[in-house]
Amino acid sequence: MRALRVSIIVPVYNGANYMRDAIDSALAQTWPNTEIIVVNDGSNDAGETDRIARSYGERIKYISKPNGGVASALNAGIEAMTGDVFCWLSHDDRHLPEKTARQVEHWESLGRPDAVLISDYRLINETGETITDVRLDHELLTKKPSYALLRGCIHGCSVFVPRALFDRVGNFDINLPTTQDYDLWFRSFRTFPFVHMADVLIESRWHDEQGSKKIDHTIEATRFWMRVINGITPAEKVKWEGSEAAFLVGMSKFLGENKLVEAASEAKRRVKTVIDGVLVSVVIPLFDRVDMAVSAIESVKEQTHRRIEIIVVDDGCKEDLSGVRAALAGHPNARLISQRNAGPAAARNNGWRAAKGDYVAFLDADDLFLPTKISEQLIAMAGAGAAFSHTSYARARHGDITLQESGSANAFPDIIGSCSVATPTVMVARSLIDEGFSFPEHIRIGEDVVLWLHIASAHGIMGISRALTIVRADDSSTAFDKSKQITGVENILADVCASDELYQHKEHVIQLKKLASRLRGEQEDT
């Protein structure tokens, strides 16, 4: 079987200062079936680059051409290469001796002839001394290979590219002096996936003559990254970050860190545009207390976020619903769904299934949203790609209002032992119901906490410290009714003990058992 042939292409322009280092490192590769192609891109250094290149004789393949830029020099090398794989070596960088051999071994072990390999790298100064090793985020690049491109992780001299890539997507764009490499990776990343090797395989020289340090690079790079943002599909953005907004937030941060201010600002501006267009469904289960339900509906209609769907689920109300219908009639996207009395869990599930929004917020009929509730929570969730969040809230009882600072608590798995998530503060991704999550309808008290525990176990939980909901309570509310508290905790405990995913957190299960025991003891004492 013929050994894989690797072509190392060295584009050079006025390279007398460093090119011997580069060519020598290519010739020192331990992989035997390697060809080195040096392309002199019209150097004007009195023939010094030409003399150095020719001094290597037949150990290299030498091409001399008129000046056309790095892309044109690389393309000339690609046209002349006889290898199965392309590797790039800038005239001021160095390949470590084992670079080619280790990449050949790894590439062949993958069984993926379409894979493009990249690696970590070492920064060196003008004299070749080590500055630092650059270690890329291997976990991120394994989970999201496209982020090799999207987080600027690809050092061109570390790549190991199958020749088929150029046949499929074309060569480097000669009209792009400093982004010709990333342009090529962008054109190919969907069909030629990046695979990161967590090994330092090259040495990259850091000096003041590099093109990426020139002002024109910023202009060209800004145009390129805007093309990337425009070229990534909404489905890809959601797949990688959970939402379009989260993708754009991440891109804005990355671009800002790389001093591409204009591109970062545009990505940030688009976050607001995307969020403003997101539909949020608010589900309100209703069993009597119609007068309070009307004020709950009005609080939703007063939200600063405008794209809202209101779904009121009539859970077998006995009271006149004309006031509810009148309140809903004043909203352009509102519905009243009726069902036989089956409890709040069934009502919420019914509304959740009917929801058309990307996110679903739950509001009890006797509670209220503050005007910025949906907007603030949506911005936080969409920006982080979160599937489940809750906030702090204000509790109104007997004319007194107390702040319940639960938003910064309730991390998983701590919430197994004591969960203070209030349902009217919760917003979830609508898609969770398609994953099989729903309120357990056989439980009438504690059913909400049971669901929160299962969602948090699978997706985590985002807490927002600001109080954005008013929970109206009375003496019959679970927070003040010991019997309801006991029933709720016992229902939660029974579910946790029956769930392998939750019961494994033994320390927190013990806390929950102690809470149940304490509540029973307090009831007996009274």
Side-chain angles (χ1 to χ4, degrees):
M1 182 178 178
R2 182 179 71 85
L4 194 74
R5 185 163 177 77
V6 177
S7 299
I8 301 176
I9 298 174
V10 187
V12 187
Y13 176 73
N14 294 347
N17 48 356
Y18 301 120
M19 64 183 289
R20 283 193 184 276
D21 254 6
I23 296 172
D24 289 346
S25 76
L27 289 169
Q29 292 301 297
T30 58
W31 182 251
N33 197 11
T34 302
E35 70 171 350
I36 294 92
I37 303 174
V38 177
V39 183
N40 183 351
D41 186 39
S43 298
N44 59 4
D45 54 357
E48 188 61 21
T49 292
D50 184 75
R51 282 191 290 273
I52 293 173
R54 291 186 186 280
S55 72
Y56 285 90
E58 294 184 356
R59 289 186 294 167
I60 67 170
K61 183 182 292 185
Y62 178 51
I63 299 170
S64 182
K65 60 177 283 296
N67 180 255
V70 176
S72 71
L74 289 169
N75 290 343
I78 291 167
E79 295 304 318
M81 66 183 275
T82 61
D84 308 292
V85 174
F86 160 91
C87 290
W88 174 1
L89 176 57
S90 294
H91 83 273
D92 48 359
D93 293 341
R94 299 190 296 222
H95 283 177
L96 294 180
E98 69 278 10
K99 190 256 189 192
T100 305
R102 301 220 7 216
Q103 288 188 314
V104 168
E105 179 184 11
H106 191 73
W107 191 73
E108 290 183 332
S109 71
L110 292 173
R112 290 290 306 270
D114 56 351
V116 174
L117 303 185
I118 65 170
S119 78
D120 297 337
Y121 54 95
R122 176 169 299 137
L123 289 177
I124 59 176
N125 63 17
E126 291 93 335
T127 61
E129 297 172 322
T130 297
I131 299 173
T132 188
D133 285 351
V134 178
R135 297 286 186 175
L136 304 176
D137 187 339
H138 184 69
E139 182 179 355
L140 171 68
L141 299 181
T142 300
K143 184 179 179 181
K144 302 176 183 178
S146 300
Y147 275 49
L149 165 72
L150 296 173
R151 291 298 179 265
C153 297
I154 307 167
H155 192 298
C157 294
S158 80
V159 300
F160 186 91
V161 182
R163 179 70 176 81
L165 181 146
F166 303 106
D167 298 331
R168 179 76 174 270
V169 304
N171 293 351
F172 293 96
D173 188 338
I174 62 173
N175 297 307
L176 300 174
T178 64
T179 61
Q180 71 287 325
D181 51 348
Y182 269 74
D183 167 74
L184 180 62
W185 314 142
F186 182 51
R187 284 186 276 131
S188 59
F189 82 98
R190 291 185 176 94
T191 48
F192 291 86
F194 299 106
V195 176
H196 174 240
M197 294 179 65
D199 303 291
V200 172
L201 298 178
I202 69 165
E203 292 179 324
S204 176
R205 202 178 304 266
W206 186 255
H207 58 89
D208 292 334
E209 297 174 15
Q210 292 167 312
S212 59
K213 294 184 179 180
K214 298 175 182 177
I215 186 65
D216 287 349
H217 170 70
T218 299
I219 298 172
E220 185 178 316
T222 296
R223 290 171 180 164
F224 168 75
W225 286 108
M226 289 311 305
R227 186 157 60 87
V228 170
I229 291 172
N230 291 330
I232 301 299
T233 68
E236 288 171 330
K237 293 171 183 174
V238 172
K239 175 185 176 183
W240 294 329
E241 291 295 336
S243 72
E244 286 190 66
F247 175 86
L248 290 167
V249 166
M251 287 300 301
S252 179
K253 181 180 179 182
F254 162 69
L255 294 168
E257 290 171 348
N258 285 275
K259 298 180 173 57
L260 297 172
V261 178
E262 184 179 345
S265 297
E266 176 61 16
K268 189 173 183 179
R269 186 192 66 79
R270 293 190 184 195
V271 172
K272 184 179 186 307
T273 300
V274 168
I275 289 177
D276 286 348
V278 172
L279 177 64
V280 177
S281 300
V282 179
V283 173
I284 306 174
L286 175 61
F287 181 72
D288 296 336
R289 293 193 173 189
V290 169
D291 55 337
M292 300 184 79
V294 170
S295 61
I297 294 168
E298 292 299 330
S299 77
V300 179
K301 291 164 63 177
E302 293 169 0
Q303 291 298 296
T304 56
H305 183 76
R306 304 316 302 166
R307 291 212 67 211
I308 290 180
E309 173 187 49
I310 305 175
I311 303 175
V312 175
V313 183
D314 166 21
D315 185 34
C317 286
K318 299 175 183 177
E319 296 180 9
D320 179 20
L321 296 180
S322 57
V324 169
R325 291 190 177 91
L328 294 177
H331 190 274
N333 194 9
R335 285 181 283 166
L336 176 64
I337 299 174
S338 295
Q339 64 177 36
R340 292 182 179 179
N341 180 254
R348 292 191 189 107
N349 287 338
N350 201 356
W352 192 357
R353 281 188 291 267
K356 297 178 181 177
D358 296 308
Y359 296 87
V360 176
F362 299 101
L363 176 62
D364 290 339
D366 49 357
D367 298 327
L368 303 169
F369 283 166
L370 295 179
T372 63
K373 196 268 188 188
I374 296 297
S375 177
E376 291 192 43
Q377 199 163 5
L378 178 59
I379 289 170
M381 288 186 70
F388 170 34
S389 77
H390 72 107
T391 76
S392 297
Y393 60 97
R395 177 185 287 154
R397 178 176 179 243
H398 299 330
D400 294 325
I401 296 180
T402 57
L403 179 62
Q404 305 298 310
E405 297 181 283
S406 58
S408 56
N410 298 287
F412 187 86
D414 295 349
I415 59 171
I416 295 174
S418 179
C419 178
S420 57
V421 175
T423 298
T425 74
V426 168
M427 184 185 291
V428 299
R430 190 228 164 270
S431 58
L432 291 183
I433 200 166
D434 299 326
E435 295 180 25
F437 292 101
S438 63
F439 293 91
E441 297 183 11
H442 64 287
I443 300 175
R444 291 291 181 112
I445 300 177
E447 78 291 341
D448 48 356
V449 173
V450 168
L451 175 59
W452 309 150
L453 295 182
H454 286 283
I455 295 177
S457 176
H459 293 279
I461 178 171
M462 168 181 276
I464 298 171
S465 59
R466 274 175 56 79
L468 299 172
T469 300
I470 297 175
V471 175
R472 297 186 283 195
D474 56 31
D475 293 342
S476 66
S477 300
T478 301
F480 302 99
D481 187 315
K482 192 70 67 177
S483 295
K484 287 183 178 180
Q485 290 177 25
I486 293 171
T487 299
V489 170
E490 289 182 340
N491 286 339
I492 296 164
L493 180 59
D495 182 87
V496 168
C497 291
S499 167
D500 292 339
E501 64 182 12
L502 298 177
Y503 193 70
Q504 64 178 313
H505 301 285
K506 298 293 180 63
E507 176 185 348
H508 303 288
V509 175
I510 290 172
Q511 292 178 2
L512 183 60
K513 289 179 178 179
K514 288 181 178 179
L515 175 60
S517 178
R518 178 173 62 80
L519 289 172
R520 291 191 210 100
E522 290 175 357
Q523 186 182 48
E524 291 172 0
D525 289 341
T526 58

